[in-house]
């Protein structure tokens, strides 16, 4: 059964092996070039965009694995009827599906793990300088979590193909769904894996000028992009007055639209100077960078748990409902 699964998978395996060798060759060369830079302060400017591009591309690997390895795995056999050849022999349906999920799922995890290890090594000096490993894109392309992503993408693809029983619709649905999940998890779940640390930050003009944005679509008194050294800021309150109440929209908009002309410099100039005189502060929630690896293992376990649940659903479904 294992040999048959591998033989049926040989074309995908060959394509995957070729791409893996090409990617490994590039990453090894890239890692060597990065380590040849003598001034670490230049790493971010020289390779920051490259790392972002690679992480974005790497983020599509689970969706591609799910769409091109997982979705056709069962759906194609159900479409062509070749599953009946196996089921009419001594192999049970559950055993047939379990072997396919295990063998090819492990292959998907091995590919993702190899790529992640190489990228983590190559990007190491840049990550150390940038100190931004918790960002939504970079976090998912480092450490052990890509292994979980690949397991989830493959299993979700295979079970979706089992349920839909049509290859092309399953491929399209899986690709989109995996991308949506990878967008949702960092924003909805990841900030809450461990209780956040909290700190109150006074909003002087200088501090406001360090932010990336002021205001919102609805005109609320918010500030965005504040940072804490060696930490990932997960939540920022609205501007608060000295007595803990939210700054009124009217007061905020007055500084935003009609700030006195003082000739102040900085990103927000006179607006920052105006707000800085109001004795404001914000409450920040953050995760220290030292939690990077605990978060990695938590998210790996989360995705492996999702994969196991999907596999259990598939094993139940194939025994009871698939004819």
């Amino acid at each position: 059964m294992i040999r048959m699964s591998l033989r049926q998978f040989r074309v995908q395996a060959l394509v995957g092996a070729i791409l893996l060798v090409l990617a490994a060759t590039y990453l090894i060369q890239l890692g060597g070039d990065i380590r040849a830079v003598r001034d670490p302060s230049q790493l971010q400017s020289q390779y920051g965009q490259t790392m972002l591009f690679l992480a974005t591309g790497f983020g599509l690997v689970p969706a591609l694995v799910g769409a091109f390895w997982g979705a056709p795995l069962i759906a194609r056999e159900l479409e062509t009827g070749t599953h009946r050849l196996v089921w009419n022999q001594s192999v049970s349906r559950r055993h047939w599906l379990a072997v396919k999920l295990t063998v090819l799922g492990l292959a998907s995890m091995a590919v993702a793990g190899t790529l992640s290890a190489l990228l983590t090594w190559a990007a190491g000096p840049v990550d150390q300088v940038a100190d931004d490993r918790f960002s939504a894109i970079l976090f998912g392309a480092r450490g052990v979590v890509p292994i979980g992503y690949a397991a989830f993408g493959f299993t979700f693809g295979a079970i979706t193909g089992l349920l839909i029983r049509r290859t092309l619709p399953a491929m399209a649905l899986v690709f989109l769904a995996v991308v949506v999940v990878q967008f949702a998890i960092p924003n909805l779940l990841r900030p809450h894996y461990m209780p956040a640390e909290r700190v109150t930050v006074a909003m002087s003009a200088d501090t406001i000028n360090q932010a990336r944005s002021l205001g919102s679509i609805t005109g609320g008194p918010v500030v965005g992009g504040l940072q804490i050294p060696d930490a990932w800021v997960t939540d920022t309150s609205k501007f608060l007055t000295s007595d803990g109440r939210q700054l009124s929209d009217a007061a905020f908009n007055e500084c935003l639209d009609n700030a006195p002309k003082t000739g102040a410099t900085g990103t927000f100039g006179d607006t920052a100077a105006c707000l800085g005189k109001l004795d404001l502060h914000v409450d920040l929630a953050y995760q220290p960078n030292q939690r990077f690896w605990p978060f990695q293992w938590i998210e790996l376990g989360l995705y492996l748990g999702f994969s196991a649940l999907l596999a259990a659903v598939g094993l139940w479904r194939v025994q009871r409902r698939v004819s």
Side-chain angles (χ1 to χ4, degrees):
M1 194 59 211
I2 295 176
R3 184 179 300 175
M4 179 182 296
S5 296
L6 292 174
R7 185 166 60 248
Q8 292 176 324
F9 191 65
R10 61 183 180 273
V11 175
Q12 296 96 319
L14 178 60
V15 173
I18 293 173
L19 294 176
L20 180 61
V21 170
L22 293 175
T25 302
Y26 170 75
L27 290 173
I28 291 172
Q29 181 179 356
L30 177 64
D33 292 341
I34 289 174
R35 284 160 175 78
V37 177
R38 295 184 178 181
D39 184 2
S41 64
Q42 299 298 317
L43 288 174
Q44 180 63 19
S45 60
Q46 292 185 29
Y47 293 100
Q49 290 297 318
T50 300
M51 293 299 106
L52 185 61
F53 174 79
L54 288 174
T56 303
F58 198 91
L60 294 177
V61 170
L64 294 172
V65 166
F68 290 95
W69 285 13
L73 183 68
I74 310 300
R76 184 170 294 151
E77 294 217 35
L78 294 176
E79 279 184 323
T80 60
T82 55
H83 62 290
R84 299 189 182 92
L85 176 64
V86 178
W87 291 355
N88 287 330
Q89 300 178 26
S90 60
V91 178
S92 69
R93 297 181 181 189
R94 287 181 176 174
H95 181 71
W96 171 77
L97 180 59
V99 169
K100 284 181 173 292
L101 292 178
T102 301
V103 173
L104 305 183
L106 289 175
S108 302
M109 295 166 67
V111 170
T114 301
L115 286 174
S116 175
L118 288 170
L119 181 55
T120 301
W121 169 80
V126 182
D127 289 344
Q128 187 173 2
V129 172
D131 196 25
D132 193 27
R133 293 189 301 173
F134 260 121
S135 70
I137 296 177
L138 296 184
F139 183 90
R142 304 287 192 271
V144 296
V145 292
I147 298 173
Y149 296 169
F152 170 75
F154 173 80
T155 309
F156 180 74
I159 303 308
T160 301
L162 173 68
L163 298 176
I164 294 180
R165 307 180 65 168
R166 294 292 183 269
T167 302
L168 291 180
M171 291 175 67
L173 175 61
V174 167
F175 186 88
L176 292 175
V178 173
V179 170
V180 169
V181 170
Q182 286 187 280
F183 176 80
I185 294 294
N187 292 282
L188 300 179
L189 297 184
R190 189 181 297 162
H192 309 292
Y193 290 162
M194 298 176 69
E197 302 288 341
R198 297 187 178 275
V199 66
T200 297
V201 178
M203 288 288 97
S204 65
D206 289 339
T207 304
I208 293 172
N209 279 321
Q210 294 172 15
R212 286 200 300 265
S213 64
L214 280 177
S216 65
I217 297 177
T218 59
V222 299
V223 58
L226 292 175
Q227 296 182 346
I228 297 176
D230 301 320
W232 169 38
V233 176
T234 58
D235 185 62
T236 304
S237 71
K238 294 184 177 181
F239 281 115
L240 303 174
T241 60
S242 58
D243 57 1
R245 294 184 297 178
Q246 179 181 310
L247 179 68
S248 68
D249 291 354
F252 176 73
N253 290 328
E254 182 66 21
C255 281
L256 196 65
D257 301 327
N258 302 304
K261 303 300 181 182
T262 63
T265 59
T267 305
F268 301 105
D270 292 330
T271 296
C274 178
L275 292 170
K277 295 178 180 180
L278 301 181
D279 193 18
L280 303 174
H281 66 274
V282 295
D283 294 331
L284 300 181
Y286 67 94
Q287 298 288 352
N289 280 352
Q290 64 192 32
R291 294 180 178 178
F292 174 81
W293 281 108
F295 272 50
Q296 283 269 317
W297 291 109
I298 290 171
E299 192 154 309
L300 172 63
L302 181 68
Y303 273 93
L304 291 180
F306 287 160
S307 302
L309 181 60
L310 286 168
V313 170
L315 292 172
W316 171 83
R317 177 78 177 188
V318 74
Q319 184 68 27
R320 295 178 177 272
R321 298 297 182 89
V322 179
S323 61

